[in-house]
Amino acid sequence: MEEWKKVASQLDKDHAKEYKKARADIKKKSSDTIKLQKKVKKGKDEVRGQLDSALQDVNVRYAVLEETEKRAVCRALIEERGRYCSFVTMLKPVL
């Protein structure tokens, strides 16, 4: 049981670290995008290319965040499945 708790805690820590990093990247890129949007609204058309690139980069960052979340859920499910299988294996001799 103690090992299971350690593994669950480690999975949670790893996920939190990855999630915070991805969110920070998105936040930074979003603020840059907002600044560029304000410049474009003021009439600076030469910034339009940078804005399009920044918007595309934010979309890519969101896709990376989504993929990170999927991997974390998959790892958690695999761990849970392993625990269940271990429990059933230990319970078989009793039954």
Side-chain angles (χ1 to χ4, degrees), residues 11-27:
L11 282 173
D12 191 38
K13 285 179 185 178
D14 291 344
H15 173 253
K17 186 172 131 182
E18 291 175 3
Y19 180 78
K20 284 180 183 178
K21 182 180 177 190
R23 288 296 297 172
D25 286 346
I26 289 172
K27 199 176 212 182

Side-chain angles (χ1 to χ4, degrees), residues 6-56:
K6 287 180 184 178
V7 170
S9 176
Q10 188 62 37
L11 282 173
D12 191 38
K13 285 179 185 178
D14 291 344
H15 173 253
K17 186 172 131 182
E18 291 175 3
Y19 180 78
K20 284 180 183 178
K21 182 180 177 190
R23 288 296 297 172
D25 286 346
I26 289 172
K27 199 176 212 182
K28 183 177 183 237
K29 293 295 180 179
S30 293
S31 67
D32 292 345
T33 302
I34 291 170
K35 290 176 186 176
L36 289 172
Q37 286 175 341
K38 288 179 182 177
K39 286 182 181 180
V40 169
K41 283 182 182 178
K42 289 182 181 178
K44 296 182 180 178
D45 289 332
E46 64 272 359
V47 184
R48 169 103 29 216
Q50 290 177 341
L51 175 62
D52 293 339
S53 174
L55 286 172
Q56 185 177 11

Side-chain angles (χ1 to χ4, degrees), residues 45-86:
D45 289 332
E46 64 272 359
V47 184
R48 169 103 29 216
Q50 290 177 341
L51 175 62
D52 293 339
S53 174
L55 286 172
Q56 185 177 11
D57 193 33
V58 168
N59 289 335
V60 167
R61 302 284 177 170
Y62 273 114
V64 168
L65 177 63
E66 185 178 335
E67 188 62 34
T68 301
E69 289 297 305
K70 285 180 182 178
R71 279 191 308 232
V73 168
C74 184
R75 278 190 232 127
L77 287 173
I78 289 170
E79 181 63 29
E80 187 176 331
R81 189 178 305 132
R83 289 179 183 181
Y84 179 75
C85 289
S86 297

